[in-house]
Every structure is written in C-alpha cells, then in structure tokens.
Amino acid sequence: GPKYGPMKLKPEQYHGAIYDVWPARTGFLKKPGEWNTQEIRADGRRITVTLNGAVIVDADLDQVREPDVLKKHPGLARKSGHIALLGHQAYAEFRNLSIKELP
C-alpha cells in the first residue's frame, strides 16, 4: 500500500520476494482491498512465486552467495523447514490456502 512508498522498502522486501534475500518483480499486485492469487512452489532449492498469473520470482537458492545475506539467514542452507507468510506489521487476510507435497 501507499504507506510503504517506493523509497521505504528494498527490492527484496516487496510482495512475493524471498524476504531480504531475493527480489520479486513488481507491478502485478491488484489494488489494495482486492484479492490476489499466488502460488509458491519450492522444488528443492528452486523457489518460484507466481502472482496473478505472472512469475515474479524464479530463484535458485544455491545462487545466493553474498556473505552478509548468508550470515543473516543461516536457514538458507537447510533443505527443509517451515512455511511463513509475513507482512510489515499490518493486517493481512488469506483464503483458500493449501499446502501440497511435491512428488
């Protein structure tokens, strides 16, 4: 929303990004108050985020090599873990949420 403005967030903090690690393409969110459709696919170390039909992240976590990022996010070395959907201390709603295991 407008309260975050383009100068307050880093590219790797925008909607759909792997937070503080990998930026997402922008320009595909619907207006505030409208529902978005998003799919997050974690296939091994490859993470793909599709927002409203557009791929906004296609990341290979093995390509993350910046020492500061790796130090700040040691969980990047894991092959499994938890799922978290986070916001910037603002109210968020989710619906029709499902988690499926890949074959």
Side-chain angles (χ1 to χ4, degrees):
K3 75 177 188 175
Y4 296 109
M7 300 307 286
K8 294 182 182 178
L9 296 177
K10 297 184 287 186
E12 60 275 8
Q13 293 176 316
Y14 280 97
H15 180 94
I18 302 172
Y19 196 82
D20 236 9
V21 174
W22 198 286
R25 292 174 52 213
T26 59
F28 300 96
L29 275 172
K30 293 182 180 179
K31 295 176 189 173
E34 295 182 25
W35 288 104
N36 292 284
T37 301
Q38 181 166 304
E39 177 182 282
I40 303 167
R41 183 180 177 94
D43 190 358
R45 308 279 297 152
R46 166 90 44 201
I47 310 296
T48 307
V49 179
T50 304
L51 176 64
N52 298 321
V55 175
I56 61 170
V57 171
D58 186 6
D60 178 353
L61 295 180
D62 289 330
Q63 298 299 312
V64 179
R65 295 193 178 100
E66 294 84 3
D68 289 344
V69 173
L70 295 171
K71 182 178 179 182
K72 187 174 182 180
H73 301 284
L76 287 173
R78 295 178 182 228
K79 302 232 184 266
S80 64
H82 299 280
I83 296 170
L85 303 173
L86 307 171
H88 288 270
Q89 301 173 342
Y91 180 77
E93 290 185 40
F94 303 93
R95 67 177 184 179
N96 302 327
L97 185 67
S98 64
I99 299 171
K100 300 177 184 178
E101 189 170 346
L102 296 176

